[in-house]
Amino acid sequence: MLAATVVVVLFAGALVWHLSGGRWQIITTPSMGTAAPVGSVVLTRPDTVIGVGEIVTFRPPAELGRSVTHRVVALETGPGGIGMKTRGDINGAVDPWTLHAPDLTGRVVLVLPGLGWLMWALPALIVGIVLLFWATRRWLPWLWAVPTRVLGLSLLLAAVSVWLRPFVGTVTLGSSADAGEATINLVSTGMLPTRVSADTGGVLDLVSGEKGVLVTPRPEQAGGNVLTSGVHMPWWLWIVMTAFWLLPMVYGLIAAHRHPLVDDAGPTAPGPPPAPPAPSAPDPGPRRGPGATSTFLGMALALALTIAPNPTLAAFTGTLTNTTNTAGAAPYFTCLGATAGFGSNYIAWPLDDANVANLATARSLTGGTTGTYNGLLGFTAAATRPCPRDTPARAVTINGSAVLTPYVATTSTTAIASTNVFSIVGWFRTNTVLGGRMIGWGSSRTGLTSGGYDRHLYMTNSGQLTFGVYPNATKTITSPNAYNDDAWHLAVATLSPAGMVLYVDGAQVAADPTTTTAEGGTTRTGWWRVGWDNLNGWPNAPTTYAWAGSMYDAAVMTTALTPAQVTQLYRSGT
């Protein structure tokens, strides 16, 4: 009755909270530090007035399907009204997006640390307890049912603890090393106070959600520093945890008190015969069996099994092998988040739309110019993408031999000025042997091919990538390798005062430092187009100018990405 009452009250409270607009979510990553550790439940309420310093839950504009809980660090006024900049408490950088009211799930009004772990564990615990009590009640006499339940409950709690590991956990955020010592940044993701020790010396004490730095000497031999983490609690918390571990024994003692057993200690000394039972209460006979001694042994074994797998034995190990300060937390964890985060863009289209019919809209990652899919039967949604953390899990396949040549054009009819500084970015996958033009700039927004055309990235029939500009003559650089191997690749081409550079999968594959301008310099106007445009007269022009293959995103940035940024862009998805 008590359990049923608790369940009804909790369900009613959750229903009222939900109907009034409230929501609850479980924190799964440590970016909010001690304000909302991993395993916390956050309760949110809708609110249109958000101040700096408040924690909000939202869906990032550049990462559809994901929910994030971060703190508001700044407010700014823009074309869409008042925008919010957010950041996780232990993150080193502000989030790349600007939030507006429609992006918010709500303002966090209450954080309940640790409750999320219980919510994750409840299904397994409830199913396990029901099966255990049903089986012992059906197939075992009461004499054996109690010890079996004590043992089963202990094993169930131990198994769930090993599965979820809620008590101790650490995550390495970054590490560096010099000639004498290593510096390792860590954050605790478990509920209990934790001590992290390095085999070369040095310890770090952390509470749930706390970030700290462990400084330790570099190992003399190869193999790096080995870290071990374990429980490091004050005495009073040990008492609380011991009481928790004793719960199965408490159940056994209560059950033994309610249903006392006759001990099998052997014959006792002669004495007066017991009084006969009252006629109204016939004696069914004593319950005989292993008795109190075996029950005590069963409870002792259950206690041992419960304590044995507790989190003090959970270990975290990591290896540090870098000799320079090159390791650190990745600034972006999704491809689309990275594309949206590297400054302003002429276009930034995530080509992952479900509806890719003719004249459908390609949305913008950054709230800028959207695109339009042009070409009858030219596009299909592909159930694959290069970046496993991005959602949704699909890309767009462009059929270069469709009825009408397919391409994606800007919806804006306003031409933009030509430029000598830009970056072309695109994830692609193809097995074509006819080549094709992926992204480029030209004098025509839609319809027939452009009369003026350059600043483009295309594939030759052999599968090599070529980046070309036209400062009164064709200037191209070409990758030495072919990439029509039906695998996902990231292509980045940049033009700047440093020249032309072509990158594939995060590494430079070709460059021309002598070419620093393109057609028209900064005096002409035109449009960026994806999938098809003119390539007449260009070196190693492909058989077809239309791209045939899958693309996941397409962007043209207003800056020339650095080699480090290109590497970050590639690693954000892998």
Side-chain angles (χ1 to χ4, degrees):
M1 288 296 294
L2 177 61
T5 302
V6 171
V7 170
V8 170
V9 170
L10 289 177
F11 178 79
L15 181 61
V16 172
W17 181 260
H18 187 84
L19 293 177
S20 64
R23 296 292 183 269
W24 57 87
Q25 292 178 305
I26 303 175
I27 300 295
T28 59
T29 55
S31 64
M32 282 306 296
T34 56
V38 172
S40 298
V41 172
V42 292
L43 302 182
T44 63
R45 296 282 297 176
D47 200 338
T48 57
V49 180
I50 305 295
V52 173
E54 294 185 296
I55 302 175
V56 294
T57 297
F58 56 91
R59 297 190 178 278
E63 302 181 21
L64 296 183
R66 299 186 63 191
S67 178
V68 177
T69 298
H70 276 175
R71 192 182 302 275
V72 176
V73 295
L75 300 176
E76 55 185 34
T77 303
I82 297 179
M84 291 164 279
K85 303 298 289 185
T86 55
R87 188 182 70 183
D89 284 1
I90 67 171
N91 291 352
V94 176
D95 296 332
W97 46 72
T98 299
L99 302 177
H100 296 88
D103 301 317
L104 297 183
T105 301
R107 177 172 59 89
V108 175
V109 296
L110 183 63
V111 178
L112 301 172
L115 184 59
W117 293 112
L118 178 60
M119 295 176 68
W120 282 324
L122 269 180
L125 291 175
I126 292 174
V127 171
I129 291 172
V130 169
L131 289 177
L132 176 64
F133 275 68
W134 174 79
T136 54
R137 184 180 182 88
R138 180 177 179 86
W139 287 309
L140 292 179
W142 175 256
L143 183 65
W144 291 103
V146 173
T148 304
R149 289 173 183 176
V150 172
L151 182 60
L153 286 172
S154 303
L155 291 173
L156 179 61
L157 290 173
V160 172
S161 296
V162 171
W163 168 46
L164 291 177
R165 297 189 179 276
F167 301 112
V168 173
T170 53
V171 172
T172 302
L173 299 178
S175 56
S176 62
D178 56 25
E181 63 183 18
T183 301
I184 307 169
N185 293 280
L186 301 160
V187 60
S188 172
T189 58
M191 292 192 297
L192 299 181
T194 302
R195 169 164 288 184
V196 184
S197 305
D199 64 329
T200 50
V203 298
L204 175 64
D205 292 331
L206 300 170
V207 298
S208 182
E210 183 179 7
K211 176 185 175 183
V213 178
L214 175 61
V215 179
T216 181
R218 289 191 60 188
E220 296 180 358
Q221 66 281 359
N225 299 90
V226 177
L227 309 180
T228 303
S229 56
V231 172
H232 186 67
M233 300 187 297
W235 63 269
W236 61 267
L237 192 51
W238 276 110
I239 295 176
V240 173
M241 291 302 298
T242 301
F244 171 75
W245 293 327
L246 289 174
L247 285 178
M249 177 177 284
V250 172
Y251 165 77
L253 293 173
I254 293 174
H257 176 74
R258 293 182 58 194
H259 302 277
L261 306 177
V262 177
D263 200 348
D264 273 357
T268 59
S280 59
D283 188 358
R287 300 179 180 179
R288 301 189 59 84
T293 302
S294 57
T295 301
F296 173 79
L297 292 176
M299 290 188 295
L301 176 61
L303 176 63
L305 290 174
T306 303
I307 295 178
N310 75 72
T312 59
L313 301 180
F316 171 83
T317 59
T319 301
L320 175 66
T321 57
N322 59 307
T323 57
T324 58
N325 187 6
T326 59
Y332 303 103
F333 294 92
T334 63
C335 294
L336 301 185
T339 301
F342 282 121
S344 59
N345 301 274
Y346 293 112
I347 61 173
W349 300 330
L351 303 177
D352 59 1
D353 301 276
N355 180 16
V356 286
N358 186 37
L359 302 182
T361 299
R363 71 184 190 280
S364 172
L365 279 173
T366 56
T369 301
T370 57
T372 301
Y373 293 95
N374 292 267
L376 185 62
L377 304 178
F379 306 94
T380 56
T384 178
R385 87 286 200 198
C387 310
R389 290 183 293 269
D390 285 54
T391 54
R394 58 174 177 261
V396 165
T397 298
I398 304 176
N399 180 9
S401 59
V403 177
L404 296 177
T405 306
Y407 61 94
V408 187
T410 64
T411 55
S412 173
T413 58
T414 302
I416 61 173
S418 55
T419 178
N420 292 325
V421 178
F422 60 88
S423 298
I424 297 174
V425 176
W427 280 96
F428 71 94
R429 176 182 177 180
T430 185
N431 58 4
T432 182
V433 293
L434 301 177
R437 182 181 184 268
M438 282 196 289
I439 306 174
W441 184 85
S443 57
S444 297
R445 183 178 70 90
T446 59
L448 300 176
T449 55
S450 299
Y453 44 95
D454 78 332
R455 299 172 175 86
H456 41 217
L457 182 64
Y458 62 90
M459 178 173 282
T460 66
N461 291 348
S462 62
Q464 295 168 283
L465 290 177
T466 296
F467 171 43
V469 294
Y470 189 84
N472 298 320
T474 56
K475 299 289 184 178
T476 61
I477 54 177
T478 301
S479 68
N481 298 325
Y483 298 99
N484 56 345
D485 54 0
D486 205 28
W488 282 105
H489 299 284
L490 173 67
V492 177
T494 66
L495 180 68
S496 71
M500 303 171 64
V501 186
L502 176 62
Y503 305 86
V504 179
D505 295 343
Q508 179 178 312
V509 296
D512 176 11
T514 65
T515 301
T516 60
T517 60
E519 183 178 20
T522 59
T523 62
R524 296 192 180 182
T525 59
W527 291 267
W528 292 97
R529 192 190 293 194
V530 174
W532 173 59
D533 206 340
N534 205 348
L535 285 173
N536 183 40
W538 282 81
N540 297 314
T543 300
T544 175
Y545 300 164
W547 173 256
S550 298
M551 293 193 69
Y552 181 63
D553 69 354
V556 180
M557 303 177 182
T558 60
T559 60
L561 296 180
T562 66
Q565 289 175 318
V566 173
T567 300
Q568 290 178 0
L569 193 65
Y570 177 65
R571 290 180 177 174
S572 66
T574 57

